[in-house]
Each structure stands twice: as structure tokens, then as C-alpha cells.
Amino acid sequence: MRRVVITGQGTINALGHDVPKTLEAMREGRCGIAELELRDLDRLSVRIGGQVKGYDPEALFNRQQIALYDRFTQFTLIAAHQALDGCGLTFAGELATRSGVVLGTAGGGVNTWDENYRTVYEEGKNRVHPFVVPKLMNNAAASHVSMEWNLKGPSFSVATACASSNHAMGLAFQLIRGGLADVMVTGGSEAMLSFGGVKAWEGLRVMSKDACRPFSANRNGMVQGEGAAVFVFEEYEHARKRGAEILAEVVGFAMTSDAADIVMPSKQGAARTISGALKDARLNPSDVCYINAHGTGTAANDKVECAAVADAFGHHADDLMISSTKSMHGHLIGGTGAVELLACIMALRDGIIAPTIGYEEADPECALDVVPNVAREAKVEACLSNAFAFGGFNAVIALRRAP
Amino acid sequence: MSDTIRDKVIAIIAEQAVLEPGDIDPEASLADLGIDSLGLVESIFAIEEAFDIQVPFNANEPDQSDFDISSVAAIIAAVEGLVAEQKGG
């Protein structure tokens, strides 16, 4: 069977504008969540988020590019450059047709929608910029990556709310394993921290006004983040022959649907997906030392997720570590699984488990080792990354140390 | 004024429960009336719109909210309090 390895990674998020800075923040348990910088902030009741600060698009993109790149596309291209520049791959000839890009985003060009609705509704103008549609469409980021690197194989975008990136990466993995591609650029991006994007989440009344404290008894909701992470997935023999540096191996993926509720998570659905990923990866539960949790910091998710892990792992649930890095970078919605995969790769490569920060009070309904507040050293052979989306769509990825 | 608040709140809850306002028992909880967590959030939105008030409610910690949702009567009393506080009676 064809094996799949990761040979490149890049990111921009609230913890840092690249991978080393992000991993340093995760090791130090630093919080990237702060007061939002947004227009009309006084009209929002939720005013914190994991926002990318110190960011100047004009310094990175020219005027024509900015006319076409929504913020979520900009984040994607920044992360893709880090992942692909210097990874040693040149996409020409047959490799170009055997390589593609599949990226997750829930909202796509939310800022573009927001700004142009303002133009026509609030300002009463009857004309918008000609590139509004190609700028806001969900596949814009994936398309620009394909054009920038000449990727001519299977390419598309995935929108499954908070599981978008995990679905995207899982599909990229399956495309390579199934022989439909040799290299896939994958991950995800989200830039939903606009006035309308935050206002929409506010309406659901599940947002915290002060902090994201996953698994803590006093948790009071989720906090939005923004940013992107992009990876290079490559067929193992292809990577090995060219002497590529291998960061980790992708060994399994499972996706399921709860078919139950539009917002409430399901223990059975989550447990079934975790077990499915283990089976697909041919891992025993005891092989897994670390899980990067979905861990949103809502009352419902965290207790259901802990119960699902306990169900899927049995006694071994008490021996493994499970942490939610959303406590540091916020919930990147459709981009979250991608940024969280960085923590999984760090666990496998560097033996450092990113903590769940903001943890203050034990919750008997979340009685697992959630790596509270301080990073930990551990030798990790295999790990999982969970994503459980609104709409009941679940996606779990399994990684193993580089072969 | 008070009766109007009571009637309006009951009408909102009745609509959410798909019941006649006359069938709403003030001592019933929303769960008794078949209203789930999404229905609760929608009812609170409807109450905010109807009275032009802000209702302090976080679905993650319903018990810690100042807004008592334990029964229909409790909700009516809480809305009366908020209207008095935010609209000056």
C-alpha cells in the first residue's frame, strides 16, 4: 500500500507568522487571544479573538494581488510559501499533473462579503468592485495556490464548518494513498474575524467574553481565531527517493456523520470516528500517546469529546494525553485542524506536548490528562487530531513518527 | 405593562413550543414544553427583539446566568426585571 508522508509545513496565526514562532508559543503555553482590533467593536458583545496582529498585507502583496486575495487567501498563500519554498519540489511535466491542492475553509471570503454588503446596504452604493465574486469564493485560496505552483492534478476546497481542514487533509491523504496523486498541498484557512463574522457567532450564545478554557470546569465558551496552515503531503517512496526531510507520516483517516443534530455533538459519532481512524491506521489504542482535541471550550463539546475518547480507548484513555491548543490560538473554524496538526507534528518530532492553557478547575466530566497549562516532554509514536463539526460531521486524522 | 410582558413572553414561548398560549403552564420548564437548547436561544432572541432589551445569557453556563430560565414564570419575572432596569419601567 502506498504510504503518505508530510514534507513541508507553513502557517500564520495568532501565535506567530511562521511555524517556528507558533511552535515556540505552544511550547511556552503563550496565549494569542486578545482584544480584537475591528471597526464598530463597540457594537459587539464578544470582543476577544485569536487575531493575526502586526500584519501588513501591502508589504507582502501588490495592488493587483490584494484586489483578488481576500484575507483568507492571503493567509493561505503565506503559509503555502513557507511549506513549499525550499521543500525541494518543482511542479513541472508529469509531477505537475500528479499534484493537486485541497484546502478547507468554512466561510471563504467573509471579509469580502462583509465589506461589500456594507458598500451596497450601508453606504447605499450601487456598484461593487468587479472581482468580488472571484475574491470571496471558497475555492479562491486553493485556486491561487494551484496557479502559483502549477498544480494540475485533483484540486478543490472543502467546507464542513469546524472539520473543514481535517476533511481536506484526510482527502489529500486518501488521494495519494489511492494512487490518484503523488503530492498534495493541503490544510486550511479562515478569516472570519470581521464585524459580521463575530456578530453571527455572538448570536448563538456559545462564545466566551474572557477566555477559552477547554476542559476546565469554569469554561464558558469558545473564542474565534483566524489564520492558516498548509502542508505538503507526499507519497513516501517519492519523498524518500529525492531525500526529502520527512516531518511525520499520515497513517489513517476516518470521517462519519452523526445524522442527529445541527449543533449538538454526539458521543457515539465522535467515538466511532476515533475508532475508525485507529483501524484505518492499523494502530492499537495503546500506540496512541497524544490526541490534539477538538476542545472548543464549550460546555457541550468538551464533556462529549472526553466521553468519546474514554469509549474509544477504554482503559488506555487514562494513560494518554489530550490537549486543546485552541486555548492559545482560538478556534480557526475551517482552518483549525490545519493549525492543530502543527502541534501533532511537534509532539512526534520534538517530543513536546502543547498544553491546554487557561485550565483552572478540574471537571469530573473531563477527567482525562488534558496537559494543563504547561507543555510536557514525552516520546510519542502516534497521535490523533480530532475535529467534530456543527452539522454532525466528524473527521479524525492519525499521524505516526517519520519512518 | 406587566400583563403585556407576561402575554408577550408566553406568546413567544408558545410559538417556540408549537402550543396555544392558553396551554402554557407558568410553572412548566422549557424542557417540559419540549423546547431544546436551540429553541431556548431562539426564544431569548425573540424576547430581546420584542422588548428591545439585552438578555445576559451564555448557553455554556445557563445556571450561572442572572437570567433565570427554570420555568415560564421565572422567565417572565426576569424579563420584567430587565425591562424595568433597561427601559426605566
Side-chain angles (χ1 to χ4, degrees), chain A residues 292-328:
Chain A
N292 185 286
H294 191 52
T296 56
T298 62
N301 175 82
D302 296 1
K303 70 176 178 196
V304 169
E305 183 167 13
C306 287
V309 167
D311 264 22
F313 283 92
H315 292 309
H316 182 61
D318 295 328
D319 302 326
L320 55 76
M321 292 170 279
I322 174 168
S323 70
S324 170
T325 51
K326 286 187 180 75
S327 55
M328 294 180 270

PDB file of all heavy atoms in Angstrom, chain A residues 292-328:
ATOM      1  N   ASN A 292      -4.643  15.615  19.805  1.00  0.00           N
ATOM      2  CA  ASN A 292      -4.967  17.030  19.773  1.00  0.00           C
ATOM      3  C   ASN A 292      -6.487  17.105  19.706  1.00  0.00           C
ATOM      4  O   ASN A 292      -7.099  16.716  18.711  1.00  0.00           O
ATOM      5  CB  ASN A 292      -4.319  17.741  18.581  1.00  0.00           C
ATOM      6  CG  ASN A 292      -4.581  19.239  18.668  1.00  0.00           C
ATOM      7  OD1 ASN A 292      -5.696  19.682  18.407  1.00  0.00           O
ATOM      8  ND2 ASN A 292      -3.580  19.990  19.063  1.00  0.00           N
ATOM      9  N   ALA A 293      -7.082  17.603  20.774  1.00  0.00           N
ATOM     10  CA  ALA A 293      -8.538  17.568  20.930  1.00  0.00           C
ATOM     11  C   ALA A 293      -9.212  18.585  20.033  1.00  0.00           C
ATOM     12  O   ALA A 293      -8.611  19.592  19.645  1.00  0.00           O
ATOM     13  CB  ALA A 293      -8.900  17.878  22.375  1.00  0.00           C
ATOM     14  N   HIS A 294     -10.497  18.333  19.760  1.00  0.00           N
ATOM     15  CA  HIS A 294     -11.297  19.404  19.177  1.00  0.00           C
ATOM     16  C   HIS A 294     -11.411  20.509  20.233  1.00  0.00           C
ATOM     17  O   HIS A 294     -11.216  21.669  19.923  1.00  0.00           O
ATOM     18  CB  HIS A 294     -12.656  18.872  18.725  1.00  0.00           C
ATOM     19  CG  HIS A 294     -13.404  19.851  17.884  1.00  0.00           C
ATOM     20  ND1 HIS A 294     -12.847  20.444  16.773  1.00  0.00           N
ATOM     21  CD2 HIS A 294     -14.650  20.392  18.014  1.00  0.00           C
ATOM     22  CE1 HIS A 294     -13.733  21.293  16.242  1.00  0.00           C
ATOM     23  NE2 HIS A 294     -14.827  21.282  16.982  1.00  0.00           N
ATOM     24  N   GLY A 295     -11.734  20.115  21.493  1.00  0.00           N
ATOM     25  CA  GLY A 295     -11.592  21.014  22.650  1.00  0.00           C
ATOM     26  C   GLY A 295     -11.948  22.473  22.451  1.00  0.00           C
ATOM     27  O   GLY A 295     -11.108  23.357  22.591  1.00  0.00           O
ATOM     28  N   THR A 296     -13.210  22.751  22.163  1.00  0.00           N
ATOM     29  CA  THR A 296     -13.592  24.128  21.835  1.00  0.00           C
ATOM     30  C   THR A 296     -13.732  25.026  23.052  1.00  0.00           C
ATOM     31  O   THR A 296     -13.743  26.236  22.929  1.00  0.00           O
ATOM     32  CB  THR A 296     -14.948  24.150  21.100  1.00  0.00           C
ATOM     33  OG1 THR A 296     -15.914  23.488  21.931  1.00  0.00           O
ATOM     34  CG2 THR A 296     -14.863  23.454  19.765  1.00  0.00           C
ATOM     35  N   GLY A 297     -13.899  24.418  24.236  1.00  0.00           N
ATOM     36  CA  GLY A 297     -14.150  25.231  25.432  1.00  0.00           C
ATOM     37  C   GLY A 297     -15.629  25.489  25.674  1.00  0.00           C
ATOM     38  O   GLY A 297     -15.990  26.256  26.564  1.00  0.00           O
ATOM     39  N   THR A 298     -16.506  24.829  24.892  1.00  0.00           N
ATOM     40  CA  THR A 298     -17.928  24.918  25.205  1.00  0.00           C
ATOM     41  C   THR A 298     -18.266  23.810  26.203  1.00  0.00           C
ATOM     42  O   THR A 298     -17.560  22.803  26.291  1.00  0.00           O
ATOM     43  CB  THR A 298     -18.827  24.751  23.958  1.00  0.00           C
ATOM     44  OG1 THR A 298     -18.610  23.458  23.396  1.00  0.00           O
ATOM     45  CG2 THR A 298     -18.530  25.807  22.912  1.00  0.00           C
ATOM     46  N   ALA A 299     -19.367  24.041  26.926  1.00  0.00           N
ATOM     47  CA  ALA A 299     -19.801  23.050  27.909  1.00  0.00           C
ATOM     48  C   ALA A 299     -20.043  21.714  27.215  1.00  0.00           C
ATOM     49  O   ALA A 299     -19.603  20.664  27.682  1.00  0.00           O
ATOM     50  CB  ALA A 299     -21.071  23.540  28.602  1.00  0.00           C
ATOM     51  N   ALA A 300     -20.742  21.762  26.073  1.00  0.00           N
ATOM     52  CA  ALA A 300     -21.161  20.535  25.406  1.00  0.00           C
ATOM     53  C   ALA A 300     -20.000  19.782  24.778  1.00  0.00           C
ATOM     54  O   ALA A 300     -19.823  18.586  25.004  1.00  0.00           O
ATOM     55  CB  ALA A 300     -22.217  20.850  24.345  1.00  0.00           C
ATOM     56  N   ASN A 301     -19.181  20.460  23.962  1.00  0.00           N
ATOM     57  CA  ASN A 301     -18.133  19.728  23.233  1.00  0.00           C
ATOM     58  C   ASN A 301     -17.207  18.973  24.167  1.00  0.00           C
ATOM     59  O   ASN A 301     -16.931  17.794  23.960  1.00  0.00           O
ATOM     60  CB  ASN A 301     -17.285  20.655  22.357  1.00  0.00           C
ATOM     61  CG  ASN A 301     -16.137  19.875  21.722  1.00  0.00           C
ATOM     62  OD1 ASN A 301     -16.306  19.215  20.703  1.00  0.00           O
ATOM     63  ND2 ASN A 301     -14.965  19.896  22.357  1.00  0.00           N
ATOM     64  N   ASP A 302     -16.687  19.675  25.179  1.00  0.00           N
ATOM     65  CA  ASP A 302     -15.568  19.094  25.920  1.00  0.00           C
ATOM     66  C   ASP A 302     -15.971  17.846  26.693  1.00  0.00           C
ATOM     67  O   ASP A 302     -15.218  16.875  26.760  1.00  0.00           O
ATOM     68  CB  ASP A 302     -14.950  20.146  26.852  1.00  0.00           C
ATOM     69  CG  ASP A 302     -14.335  21.299  26.064  1.00  0.00           C
ATOM     70  OD1 ASP A 302     -14.412  21.276  24.822  1.00  0.00           O
ATOM     71  OD2 ASP A 302     -13.797  22.229  26.693  1.00  0.00           O
ATOM     72  N   LYS A 303     -17.183  17.863  27.266  1.00  0.00           N
ATOM     73  CA  LYS A 303     -17.575  16.656  28.006  1.00  0.00           C
ATOM     74  C   LYS A 303     -17.904  15.510  27.053  1.00  0.00           C
ATOM     75  O   LYS A 303     -17.576  14.355  27.318  1.00  0.00           O
ATOM     76  CB  LYS A 303     -18.720  16.941  28.986  1.00  0.00           C
ATOM     77  CG  LYS A 303     -20.057  17.223  28.372  1.00  0.00           C
ATOM     78  CD  LYS A 303     -21.132  17.386  29.448  1.00  0.00           C
ATOM     79  CE  LYS A 303     -22.469  17.709  28.785  1.00  0.00           C
ATOM     80  NZ  LYS A 303     -23.456  18.239  29.703  1.00  0.00           N
ATOM     81  N   VAL A 304     -18.521  15.823  25.928  1.00  0.00           N
ATOM     82  CA  VAL A 304     -18.842  14.777  24.944  1.00  0.00           C
ATOM     83  C   VAL A 304     -17.549  14.199  24.361  1.00  0.00           C
ATOM     84  O   VAL A 304     -17.418  12.979  24.203  1.00  0.00           O
ATOM     85  CB  VAL A 304     -19.745  15.344  23.828  1.00  0.00           C
ATOM     86  CG1 VAL A 304     -19.856  14.366  22.664  1.00  0.00           C
ATOM     87  CG2 VAL A 304     -21.130  15.671  24.385  1.00  0.00           C
ATOM     88  N   GLU A 305     -16.581  15.075  24.076  1.00  0.00           N
ATOM     89  CA  GLU A 305     -15.322  14.600  23.494  1.00  0.00           C
ATOM     90  C   GLU A 305     -14.578  13.684  24.475  1.00  0.00           C
ATOM     91  O   GLU A 305     -14.051  12.638  24.083  1.00  0.00           O
ATOM     92  CB  GLU A 305     -14.437  15.784  23.099  1.00  0.00           C
ATOM     93  CG  GLU A 305     -13.145  15.347  22.413  1.00  0.00           C
ATOM     94  CD  GLU A 305     -12.395  16.485  21.733  1.00  0.00           C
ATOM     95  OE1 GLU A 305     -12.723  17.663  21.992  1.00  0.00           O
ATOM     96  OE2 GLU A 305     -11.469  16.181  20.955  1.00  0.00           O
ATOM     97  N   CYS A 306     -14.543  14.074  25.756  1.00  0.00           N
ATOM     98  CA  CYS A 306     -13.855  13.237  26.753  1.00  0.00           C
ATOM     99  C   CYS A 306     -14.547  11.877  26.886  1.00  0.00           C
ATOM    100  O   CYS A 306     -13.872  10.841  26.980  1.00  0.00           O
ATOM    101  CB  CYS A 306     -13.789  13.944  28.100  1.00  0.00           C
ATOM    102  SG  CYS A 306     -12.601  15.308  28.099  1.00  0.00           S
ATOM    103  N   ALA A 307     -15.872  11.886  26.863  1.00  0.00           N
ATOM    104  CA  ALA A 307     -16.610  10.625  26.957  1.00  0.00           C
ATOM    105  C   ALA A 307     -16.342   9.756  25.729  1.00  0.00           C
ATOM    106  O   ALA A 307     -16.197   8.524  25.834  1.00  0.00           O
ATOM    107  CB  ALA A 307     -18.107  10.894  27.106  1.00  0.00           C
ATOM    108  N   ALA A 308     -16.237  10.389  24.574  1.00  0.00           N
ATOM    109  CA  ALA A 308     -15.975   9.639  23.337  1.00  0.00           C
ATOM    110  C   ALA A 308     -14.575   9.025  23.369  1.00  0.00           C
ATOM    111  O   ALA A 308     -14.385   7.875  22.961  1.00  0.00           O
ATOM    112  CB  ALA A 308     -16.118  10.566  22.123  1.00  0.00           C
ATOM    113  N   VAL A 309     -13.592   9.792  23.860  1.00  0.00           N
ATOM    114  CA  VAL A 309     -12.223   9.272  23.951  1.00  0.00           C
ATOM    115  C   VAL A 309     -12.186   8.097  24.935  1.00  0.00           C
ATOM    116  O   VAL A 309     -11.557   7.068  24.669  1.00  0.00           O
ATOM    117  CB  VAL A 309     -11.244  10.399  24.366  1.00  0.00           C
ATOM    118  CG1 VAL A 309      -9.885   9.834  24.778  1.00  0.00           C
ATOM    119  CG2 VAL A 309     -11.072  11.392  23.221  1.00  0.00           C
ATOM    120  N   ALA A 310     -12.900   8.239  26.051  1.00  0.00           N
ATOM    121  CA  ALA A 310     -12.951   7.158  27.036  1.00  0.00           C
ATOM    122  C   ALA A 310     -13.576   5.905  26.417  1.00  0.00           C
ATOM    123  O   ALA A 310     -13.103   4.784  26.630  1.00  0.00           O
ATOM    124  CB  ALA A 310     -13.732   7.601  28.272  1.00  0.00           C
ATOM    125  N   ASP A 311     -14.617   6.089  25.631  1.00  0.00           N
ATOM    126  CA  ASP A 311     -15.277   4.958  24.964  1.00  0.00           C
ATOM    127  C   ASP A 311     -14.352   4.286  23.961  1.00  0.00           C
ATOM    128  O   ASP A 311     -14.238   3.055  23.928  1.00  0.00           O
ATOM    129  CB  ASP A 311     -16.509   5.458  24.186  1.00  0.00           C
ATOM    130  CG  ASP A 311     -17.770   5.297  24.980  1.00  0.00           C
ATOM    131  OD1 ASP A 311     -17.660   5.206  26.226  1.00  0.00           O
ATOM    132  OD2 ASP A 311     -18.854   5.269  24.366  1.00  0.00           O
ATOM    133  N   ALA A 312     -13.704   5.105  23.137  1.00  0.00           N
ATOM    134  CA  ALA A 312     -12.896   4.558  22.045  1.00  0.00           C
ATOM    135  C   ALA A 312     -11.611   3.903  22.561  1.00  0.00           C
ATOM    136  O   ALA A 312     -11.141   2.928  21.988  1.00  0.00           O
ATOM    137  CB  ALA A 312     -12.563   5.651  21.033  1.00  0.00           C
ATOM    138  N   PHE A 313     -11.053   4.442  23.653  1.00  0.00           N
ATOM    139  CA  PHE A 313      -9.757   3.950  24.127  1.00  0.00           C
ATOM    140  C   PHE A 313      -9.845   3.015  25.329  1.00  0.00           C
ATOM    141  O   PHE A 313      -8.846   2.403  25.701  1.00  0.00           O
ATOM    142  CB  PHE A 313      -8.823   5.125  24.452  1.00  0.00           C
ATOM    143  CG  PHE A 313      -8.224   5.753  23.222  1.00  0.00           C
ATOM    144  CD1 PHE A 313      -8.829   6.827  22.605  1.00  0.00           C
ATOM    145  CD2 PHE A 313      -7.054   5.248  22.679  1.00  0.00           C
ATOM    146  CE1 PHE A 313      -8.287   7.391  21.471  1.00  0.00           C
ATOM    147  CE2 PHE A 313      -6.493   5.809  21.539  1.00  0.00           C
ATOM    148  CZ  PHE A 313      -7.120   6.885  20.934  1.00  0.00           C
ATOM    149  N   GLY A 314     -11.003   2.940  25.961  1.00  0.00           N
ATOM    150  CA  GLY A 314     -11.116   2.090  27.149  1.00  0.00           C
ATOM    151  C   GLY A 314     -10.150   2.543  28.228  1.00  0.00           C
ATOM    152  O   GLY A 314      -9.962   3.735  28.444  1.00  0.00           O
ATOM    153  N   HIS A 315      -9.466   1.575  28.885  1.00  0.00           N
ATOM    154  CA  HIS A 315      -8.554   1.908  29.990  1.00  0.00           C
ATOM    155  C   HIS A 315      -7.411   2.810  29.547  1.00  0.00           C
ATOM    156  O   HIS A 315      -6.909   3.612  30.320  1.00  0.00           O
ATOM    157  CB  HIS A 315      -7.976   0.631  30.606  1.00  0.00           C
ATOM    158  CG  HIS A 315      -9.009  -0.178  31.329  1.00  0.00           C
ATOM    159  ND1 HIS A 315      -9.825   0.398  32.277  1.00  0.00           N
ATOM    160  CD2 HIS A 315      -9.364  -1.482  31.245  1.00  0.00           C
ATOM    161  CE1 HIS A 315     -10.654  -0.527  32.739  1.00  0.00           C
ATOM    162  NE2 HIS A 315     -10.402  -1.676  32.129  1.00  0.00           N
ATOM    163  N   HIS A 316      -6.999   2.656  28.283  1.00  0.00           N
ATOM    164  CA  HIS A 316      -5.848   3.443  27.806  1.00  0.00           C
ATOM    165  C   HIS A 316      -6.140   4.944  27.808  1.00  0.00           C
ATOM    166  O   HIS A 316      -5.213   5.764  27.796  1.00  0.00           O
ATOM    167  CB  HIS A 316      -5.436   2.970  26.406  1.00  0.00           C
ATOM    168  CG  HIS A 316      -4.237   3.689  25.872  1.00  0.00           C
ATOM    169  ND1 HIS A 316      -3.000   3.649  26.499  1.00  0.00           N
ATOM    170  CD2 HIS A 316      -4.077   4.507  24.790  1.00  0.00           C
ATOM    171  CE1 HIS A 316      -2.145   4.393  25.814  1.00  0.00           C
ATOM    172  NE2 HIS A 316      -2.769   4.920  24.786  1.00  0.00           N
ATOM    173  N   ALA A 317      -7.422   5.328  27.856  1.00  0.00           N
ATOM    174  CA  ALA A 317      -7.766   6.760  27.891  1.00  0.00           C
ATOM    175  C   ALA A 317      -7.097   7.457  29.072  1.00  0.00           C
ATOM    176  O   ALA A 317      -6.747   8.641  28.999  1.00  0.00           O
ATOM    177  CB  ALA A 317      -9.287   6.935  27.949  1.00  0.00           C
ATOM    178  N   ASP A 318      -6.900   6.714  30.153  1.00  0.00           N
ATOM    179  CA  ASP A 318      -6.288   7.321  31.344  1.00  0.00           C
ATOM    180  C   ASP A 318      -4.776   7.501  31.202  1.00  0.00           C
ATOM    181  O   ASP A 318      -4.157   8.217  31.981  1.00  0.00           O
ATOM    182  CB  ASP A 318      -6.579   6.457  32.578  1.00  0.00           C
ATOM    183  CG  ASP A 318      -8.058   6.433  32.894  1.00  0.00           C
ATOM    184  OD1 ASP A 318      -8.735   7.451  32.624  1.00  0.00           O
ATOM    185  OD2 ASP A 318      -8.545   5.400  33.385  1.00  0.00           O
ATOM    186  N   ASP A 319      -4.184   6.828  30.216  1.00  0.00           N
ATOM    187  CA  ASP A 319      -2.729   6.914  30.049  1.00  0.00           C
ATOM    188  C   ASP A 319      -2.308   7.918  28.983  1.00  0.00           C
ATOM    189  O   ASP A 319      -1.149   8.307  28.928  1.00  0.00           O
ATOM    190  CB  ASP A 319      -2.161   5.538  29.649  1.00  0.00           C
ATOM    191  CG  ASP A 319      -2.500   4.474  30.677  1.00  0.00           C
ATOM    192  OD1 ASP A 319      -2.547   4.832  31.869  1.00  0.00           O
ATOM    193  OD2 ASP A 319      -2.751   3.320  30.287  1.00  0.00           O
ATOM    194  N   LEU A 320      -3.238   8.297  28.120  1.00  0.00           N
ATOM    195  CA  LEU A 320      -2.820   9.194  27.039  1.00  0.00           C
ATOM    196  C   LEU A 320      -3.023  10.653  27.433  1.00  0.00           C
ATOM    197  O   LEU A 320      -3.709  10.972  28.403  1.00  0.00           O
ATOM    198  CB  LEU A 320      -3.552   8.849  25.733  1.00  0.00           C
ATOM    199  CG  LEU A 320      -5.069   8.801  25.679  1.00  0.00           C
ATOM    200  CD1 LEU A 320      -5.688  10.176  25.644  1.00  0.00           C
ATOM    201  CD2 LEU A 320      -5.494   8.020  24.446  1.00  0.00           C
ATOM    202  N   MET A 321      -2.366  11.539  26.667  1.00  0.00           N
ATOM    203  CA  MET A 321      -2.508  12.980  26.886  1.00  0.00           C
ATOM    204  C   MET A 321      -3.418  13.541  25.803  1.00  0.00           C
ATOM    205  O   MET A 321      -3.338  13.129  24.649  1.00  0.00           O
ATOM    206  CB  MET A 321      -1.137  13.654  26.814  1.00  0.00           C
ATOM    207  CG  MET A 321      -0.230  13.273  27.960  1.00  0.00           C
ATOM    208  SD  MET A 321       1.465  13.849  27.698  1.00  0.00           S
ATOM    209  CE  MET A 321       2.089  12.574  26.625  1.00  0.00           C
ATOM    210  N   ILE A 322      -4.265  14.478  26.196  1.00  0.00           N
ATOM    211  CA  ILE A 322      -5.166  15.122  25.242  1.00  0.00           C
ATOM    212  C   ILE A 322      -5.161  16.615  25.560  1.00  0.00           C
ATOM    213  O   ILE A 322      -5.410  17.004  26.703  1.00  0.00           O
ATOM    214  CB  ILE A 322      -6.577  14.491  25.291  1.00  0.00           C
ATOM    215  CG1 ILE A 322      -7.554  15.261  24.388  1.00  0.00           C
ATOM    216  CG2 ILE A 322      -7.140  14.377  26.698  1.00  0.00           C
ATOM    217  CD1 ILE A 322      -8.884  14.527  24.145  1.00  0.00           C
ATOM    218  N   SER A 323      -4.793  17.428  24.589  1.00  0.00           N
ATOM    219  CA  SER A 323      -4.779  18.870  24.874  1.00  0.00           C
ATOM    220  C   SER A 323      -5.488  19.631  23.769  1.00  0.00           C
ATOM    221  O   SER A 323      -5.592  19.162  22.628  1.00  0.00           O
ATOM    222  CB  SER A 323      -3.341  19.381  25.025  1.00  0.00           C
ATOM    223  OG  SER A 323      -2.662  19.381  23.787  1.00  0.00           O
ATOM    224  N   SER A 324      -5.987  20.806  24.125  1.00  0.00           N
ATOM    225  CA  SER A 324      -6.627  21.679  23.145  1.00  0.00           C
ATOM    226  C   SER A 324      -5.799  22.946  22.990  1.00  0.00           C
ATOM    227  O   SER A 324      -5.753  23.786  23.895  1.00  0.00           O
ATOM    228  CB  SER A 324      -8.042  22.050  23.559  1.00  0.00           C
ATOM    229  OG  SER A 324      -8.504  23.071  22.689  1.00  0.00           O
ATOM    230  N   THR A 325      -5.178  23.082  21.814  1.00  0.00           N
ATOM    231  CA  THR A 325      -4.388  24.284  21.563  1.00  0.00           C
ATOM    232  C   THR A 325      -5.268  25.476  21.186  1.00  0.00           C
ATOM    233  O   THR A 325      -4.768  26.590  21.065  1.00  0.00           O
ATOM    234  CB  THR A 325      -3.344  24.017  20.457  1.00  0.00           C
ATOM    235  OG1 THR A 325      -4.002  23.428  19.324  1.00  0.00           O
ATOM    236  CG2 THR A 325      -2.269  23.049  20.955  1.00  0.00           C
ATOM    237  N   LYS A 326      -6.586  25.218  21.041  1.00  0.00           N
ATOM    238  CA  LYS A 326      -7.498  26.351  20.817  1.00  0.00           C
ATOM    239  C   LYS A 326      -7.419  27.349  21.964  1.00  0.00           C
ATOM    240  O   LYS A 326      -7.747  28.524  21.801  1.00  0.00           O
ATOM    241  CB  LYS A 326      -8.940  25.864  20.670  1.00  0.00           C
ATOM    242  CG  LYS A 326      -9.227  25.182  19.339  1.00  0.00           C
ATOM    243  CD  LYS A 326     -10.698  24.878  19.167  1.00  0.00           C
ATOM    244  CE  LYS A 326     -10.990  24.203  17.834  1.00  0.00           C
ATOM    245  NZ  LYS A 326     -10.600  22.778  17.781  1.00  0.00           N
ATOM    246  N   SER A 327      -7.017  26.864  23.144  1.00  0.00           N
ATOM    247  CA  SER A 327      -6.860  27.759  24.291  1.00  0.00           C
ATOM    248  C   SER A 327      -5.835  28.849  23.997  1.00  0.00           C
ATOM    249  O   SER A 327      -5.851  29.900  24.613  1.00  0.00           O
ATOM    250  CB  SER A 327      -6.410  26.945  25.511  1.00  0.00           C
ATOM    251  OG  SER A 327      -5.228  26.200  25.201  1.00  0.00           O
ATOM    252  N   MET A 328      -4.940  28.603  23.025  1.00  0.00           N
ATOM    253  CA  MET A 328      -3.894  29.586  22.697  1.00  0.00           C
ATOM    254  C   MET A 328      -4.186  30.352  21.408  1.00  0.00           C
ATOM    255  O   MET A 328      -4.033  31.568  21.352  1.00  0.00           O
ATOM    256  CB  MET A 328      -2.546  28.861  22.563  1.00  0.00           C
ATOM    257  CG  MET A 328      -2.058  28.263  23.863  1.00  0.00           C
ATOM    258  SD  MET A 328      -0.476  27.412  23.682  1.00  0.00           S
ATOM    259  CE  MET A 328      -0.999  25.760  23.291  1.00  0.00           C
TER     260      MET A 328
END
